[in-house]
Amino acid sequence: MQVGVDYYPEHWDPALWAQDALAMKSAGISLVRLAEFAWSRLEPTEGRFDFTWLDEAISLFHAQNIKVVIGTPTAAPPRWLVEQYPDVLPVNHQQQRVYPGVRCHRCYNSPSLRQCAQRIIEQLTQHYADHPAVIGWQTDNEIVANDCHCEHCRRAFTTWLQRKYGALSNLNHQWGTVVWSGEYGSWSQVTTPLGGSPYQNPSLLLDFCRFTSDSAADFNRFQAELIRQYCPDHFITHNLWGYPVVGDYYDLFASMDFAAVDYYPSTDLQHDEKANIYHGALTLDLTRGVKRRNFWVMEQLSGTPGCWHPMSRAPFPGMIRAYAWQSISRGADVVVNFRWRTARVGAEQFWHGLLDHHGHPGRRLREFSQFSQEVARLAEVIDGTQLHNDVAILFSHQQLNAFTVQPQCDGFNYFNNVKQLHRVLVQQGIGIDVINWLERIDDYKIVIAPYLFLENATVVATLERFVTAGGIVVLTTRSGVKHDNNVCQPDDLPGLLSRLAGVRVAEYDPVGHDRQQIRLGAEMVGCSQWCDIVEPTTATILGCYASDYFSGQAAVTVNAFGKGQVYYIGTVLDDRGYQRFFAPIIRACAIEFCPDLPRDVELSIRSDQDKRVLFVLNLSKENKTVALTEYSRYDAFTGEPVAGELLLAPFDVRILIEPRQ
Ligand code: GAL
Ligand code: ZN
């Protein structure tokens, strides 16, 4: 494990660099990320490169034995480049150019961007290939699928469609362009979805998301290939930007060695619209799922966020450390804090780093230093440990985009609904992997495959094999609704999943915010958003509606299939409903869980052959008490045995070692 910071030498007087490197060293920092926006300093005019300043900064870090990750500067094309090659600028759906002034003013499909990016990347990688301090690369910065409608994108989109559909007549047929006289007579009539209306042909809109996602992944792969040419021994990663996003992160990271994420959990716990701390747990679990292995945090919360919005609360004492440990608890091996010094210039002057504008060490740096010392102490124990979970949730950017194109009813939000399922399990201390819906799933006991709106025969076959062999699958409403091209399929819902689920949906009602009741076993629980009237074919009823005109009709079922079982939830349960639903399944699978875990306390287990490392995190401002299961364990810091109840102060972090018997 390692701890680092993001640093921008180009923002500061070079006289400060040596002092900063020294202070970083004493704060326990062994790694810096540099240069990801510094194109104008690295190549001040076209073809004239100046790496002397970066050499000097890197040599100062090297002198302190601090390693360096260099970011390719392609997210910020300099003024000369934009002036010389205006086609690098993206064009929005109203056909207006996006001008420089912020950053990310670049179209991935612009040949000029590719050409200029290639030159700077080749220069940088040749120059730093053998530098002893440089260990790896970050491509660009937070690549997202650009909603670009420039001429390059239009042409590339046409080629993409031709490859996918072949003849134009096939595209017309697959997309159903006959509606509203939308039929294309020639390829020249095919454009990106201009005008920004959400009511355009849904097949066009979804394919455009796929195309922009592919363009982003291709730009990332292009960079990775260039870097590998000269630096085959260096790692390459990229810093992904939270969730939910259009671009498919699984594709984006196909060319990367491991995943990295920028993690800015909420500091304002009272008014956190991201559904409280559990958004963070999902972000980290999703990131671990990108490559199905441990990852880095390339930017970790260090101070009050602001600038892109009014400033949020300052991190509460203990929060910086606890969130950093939370990252590690869910699979981060390296945590890089953003940023060392708070910027005094530019647009992000109030997105605070570890040091304030005055640069004197204060509370936040002290807390960070405590964290880095703890990491140094525990590195030997934690290095090499991984998460091994029995439960997986299948996640899909395709479904996310399809639901964004056609929101299903009031309150229905794919990401929030997935988050709810994840949260309900996290709240009971259950470890969950969140993985690409196209991945293999054999190693799990339970696979939750929610909202498989677009059907995919390969995924259905994978699920069928898994259940046949004894696995448990949980399916939900709004599944099997559409063909891959985003048109409704003509059979009973849930389409290709019907055999697995053993049900047909006789009718549905998008109830939205009208709360409904379900009798689930002996309990009454709530549901909303959507109500499928479920008719079992081979399944058994577990719960029936107890409200409205569909009272008495089936809502939740289970189907025996091979050696396994398939649950179908024909609605969106409330949290308590999901708890009641999952409890017997979790018990039957002998999965460890902690039903009385207090709110905002998170558990996570990393393990290797010799031991398990149990992280117990209180991510709240209140004292909490946790009753742990019987197990022989000791505190990683003090070596003292730990048994019975744990008392946790606000933002307390306890790390407990459980030797394997
Ligand atoms: C990240 C970005 C950084 C910085 C930070 C604070 O998303 O990668 O460059 O802008 O947010 O806003
Ligand atoms: Zn473009």
Side-chain angles (χ1 to χ4, degrees):
M1 287 193 304
Q2 264 183 294
V3 170
V5 284
D6 299 301
Y7 188 59
Y8 298 90
E10 70 276 21
H11 298 180
W12 303 97
D13 187 331
L16 281 177
W17 299 351
Q19 176 187 322
D20 279 342
L22 196 66
M24 285 179 201
K25 180 78 191 170
S26 49
I29 286 160
S30 58
L31 189 108
V32 287
R33 182 197 61 182
L34 304 174
E36 81 278 13
F37 295 113
W39 200 338
S40 69
R41 286 293 170 93
L42 296 167
E43 188 181 1
T45 56
E46 183 165 12
R48 189 169 70 75
F49 298 94
D50 177 9
F51 297 164
T52 49
W53 65 273
L54 189 57
D55 290 346
E56 191 190 329
I58 292 180
S59 70
L60 293 170
F61 290 120
H62 185 45
Q64 302 301 335
N65 201 21
I66 293 174
K67 299 293 183 209
V68 172
V69 177
I70 302 179
T72 64
T74 46
R79 301 273 178 188
W80 62 257
L81 195 157
V82 172
E83 185 181 48
Q84 184 70 22
Y85 306 100
D87 72 294
V88 300
L89 296 178
V91 172
N92 74 11
H93 58 72
Q94 299 288 2
Q95 298 270 273
Q96 296 151 332
R97 238 180 222 175
V98 176
Y99 289 97
V102 190
R103 57 182 184 184
C104 302
H105 47 283
R106 38 78 170 108
C107 164
Y108 308 130
N109 291 316
S110 149
S112 315
L113 180 78
R114 294 284 178 124
Q115 188 193 318
C116 295
Q118 173 161 357
R119 199 167 47 198
I120 183 75
I121 292 170
E122 284 179 348
Q123 291 288 327
L124 272 171
T125 48
Q126 279 178 58
H127 189 81
Y128 290 109
D130 299 319
H131 196 295
V134 176
I135 55 171
W137 298 82
Q138 172 193 299
T139 51
D140 201 89
N141 193 79
E142 296 184 336
I143 294 179
V144 293
N146 270 353
D147 183 31
C148 180
H149 301 259
C150 76
E151 189 50 25
H152 300 305
C153 285
R154 193 193 66 77
R155 263 192 260 127
F157 184 44
T158 309
T159 310
W160 189 96
L161 293 171
Q162 285 167 340
R163 220 175 282 142
K164 179 165 179 185
Y165 295 103
L168 190 59
S169 54
N170 186 36
L171 179 143
N172 277 320
H173 173 68
Q174 300 275 346
W175 285 8
T177 52
V178 60
V179 174
W180 297 343
S181 287
E183 282 157 303
Y184 298 105
S186 79
W187 282 104
S188 61
Q189 294 164 1
V190 179
T191 65
T192 58
L194 297 173
S197 168
Y199 306 110
Q200 302 190 44
N201 185 306
S203 304
L204 161 69
L205 294 178
L206 182 62
D207 268 346
F208 185 65
C209 290
R210 290 175 171 139
F211 161 74
T212 57
S213 174
D214 285 357
S215 299
D218 188 64
F219 184 60
N220 208 28
R221 186 178 318 110
F222 158 81
Q223 297 215 7
E225 283 167 8
L226 291 170
I227 296 169
R228 287 203 176 96
Q229 251 174 45
Y230 292 108
C231 301
D233 300 332
H234 288 167
F235 66 76
I236 308 174
T237 187
H238 174 73
N239 57 332
L240 65 83
W241 178 65
Y243 288 89
V245 293
V246 170
D248 189 309
Y249 280 159
Y250 307 108
D251 292 344
L252 186 68
F253 277 82
S255 55
M256 302 286 102
D257 292 313
F258 54 83
V261 66
D262 295 345
Y263 185 40
Y264 295 103
S266 176
T267 55
D268 191 351
L269 300 184
Q270 303 304 323
H271 306 104
D272 178 8
E273 279 153 21
K274 288 182 171 175
N276 288 309
I277 57 166
Y278 298 101
H279 184 86
L282 177 56
T283 298
L284 297 168
D285 286 352
L286 274 159
T287 305
R288 190 179 66 258
V290 168
K291 301 293 266 188
R292 301 188 79 172
R293 53 181 285 208
N294 290 0
F295 59 92
W296 285 33
V297 176
M298 201 57 103
E299 299 181 15
Q300 172 88 28
L301 175 83
S302 300
T304 308
C307 291
W308 302 95
H309 41 72
M311 278 179 262
S312 312
R313 292 289 308 268
F316 193 80
M319 200 182 244
I320 291 173
R321 167 179 173 260
Y323 280 144
W325 273 116
Q326 184 202 17
S327 296
I328 292 179
S329 78
R330 294 191 174 269
D333 281 341
V334 175
V335 175
V336 182
N337 274 61
F338 186 88
R339 45 193 278 169
W340 175 247
R341 285 177 180 273
T342 307
R344 285 188 46 243
V345 292
E348 287 199 337
Q349 293 166 17
F350 297 110
W351 192 289
H352 291 76
L354 290 170
L355 294 173
D356 282 319
H357 296 122
H358 54 62
H360 305 310
R363 170 173 79 86
R364 300 199 303 281
L365 183 64
R366 277 198 298 280
E367 193 177 308
F368 168 84
S369 303
Q370 181 193 342
F371 165 69
S372 71
Q373 280 164 21
E374 290 169 347
V375 168
R377 273 183 64 190
L378 297 192
E380 210 180 313
V381 182
I382 298 175
D383 274 342
T385 57
Q386 311 264 349
L387 285 93
H388 300 278
N389 294 321
D390 292 326
V391 183
I393 295 181
L394 303 188
F395 180 79
S396 163
H397 292 262
Q398 309 255 343
Q399 309 294 1
L400 177 109
N401 290 330
F403 283 122
T404 308
V405 168
Q406 291 179 306
Q408 294 294 287
C409 61
D410 279 348
F412 187 102
N413 173 298
Y414 172 75
F415 192 79
N416 287 346
N417 286 359
V418 169
K419 181 157 66 184
Q420 187 201 6
L421 285 159
H422 181 261
R423 180 181 66 228
V424 165
L425 298 174
V426 169
Q427 283 175 331
Q428 300 182 68
I430 296 165
I432 308 154
D433 289 350
V434 185
I435 58 171
N436 187 356
W437 70 315
L438 305 173
E439 278 282 347
R440 57 175 178 76
I441 51 176
D442 334 306
D443 298 337
Y444 297 104
K445 291 182 178 168
I446 301 174
V447 170
I448 303 168
Y451 311 110
L452 301 182
F453 192 53
L454 303 167
E455 55 184 19
N456 177 311
T458 315
V459 172
V460 174
T462 307
L463 292 171
E464 285 186 355
R465 264 198 314 279
F466 173 74
V467 183
T468 305
I472 288 176
V473 163
V474 177
L475 300 173
T476 70
T477 183
R478 304 321 285 144
S479 293
V481 178
K482 292 215 164 191
H483 286 166
D484 187 61
N485 291 331
N486 214 9
V487 297
C488 288
Q489 58 86 1
D491 300 324
D492 278 343
L493 297 178
L496 294 180
L497 293 159
S498 299
R499 208 167 75 89
L500 201 53
V503 299
R504 72 176 280 270
V505 177
E507 194 189 339
Y508 54 65
D509 189 338
V511 296
H513 296 299
D514 287 351
R515 246 178 86 81
Q516 304 296 329
Q517 299 290 312
I518 291 184
R519 190 179 299 281
L520 195 61
E523 304 249 6
M524 210 58 135
V525 300
C527 67
S528 62
Q529 298 186 24
W530 197 275
C531 292
D532 283 342
I533 317 296
V534 180
E535 266 180 26
T537 49
T538 55
T540 311
I541 297 172
L542 289 179
C544 287
Y545 295 107
S547 58
D548 223 304
Y549 66 90
F550 33 74
S551 182
Q553 311 258 28
V556 183
T557 58
V558 60
N559 190 37
F561 191 98
K563 292 188 190 148
Q565 264 140 19
V566 182
Y567 292 84
Y568 184 83
I569 306 174
T571 180
V572 180
L573 296 173
D574 62 13
D575 283 11
R576 210 174 64 87
Y578 279 127
Q579 279 159 19
R580 296 295 184 276
F581 168 80
F582 278 113
I585 306 175
I586 298 289
R587 273 202 200 92
C589 290
I591 290 170
E592 270 175 276
F593 78 130
C594 197
D596 303 319
L597 195 64
R599 205 185 148 76
D600 297 347
V601 173
E602 286 183 12
L603 304 183
S604 190
I605 297 174
R606 293 178 57 147
S607 62
D608 61 18
Q609 281 181 341
D610 307 325
K611 63 185 177 284
R612 307 199 315 172
V613 184
L614 169 64
F615 295 83
V616 186
L617 308 167
N618 178 5
L619 300 178
S620 80
K621 296 181 184 173
E622 290 101 49
N623 292 320
K624 303 274 172 166
T625 309
V626 181
L628 292 172
T629 50
E630 292 296 310
Y631 214 96
S632 151
R633 49 173 78 92
Y634 62 89
D635 187 291
F637 293 119
T638 64
E640 296 287 320
V642 177
E645 288 197 333
L646 272 188
L647 303 179
L648 301 167
F651 290 99
D652 217 349
V653 175
R654 301 292 301 272
I655 302 171
L656 310 176
I657 311 291
E658 305 176 342
R660 290 202 193 269
Q661 274 102 21

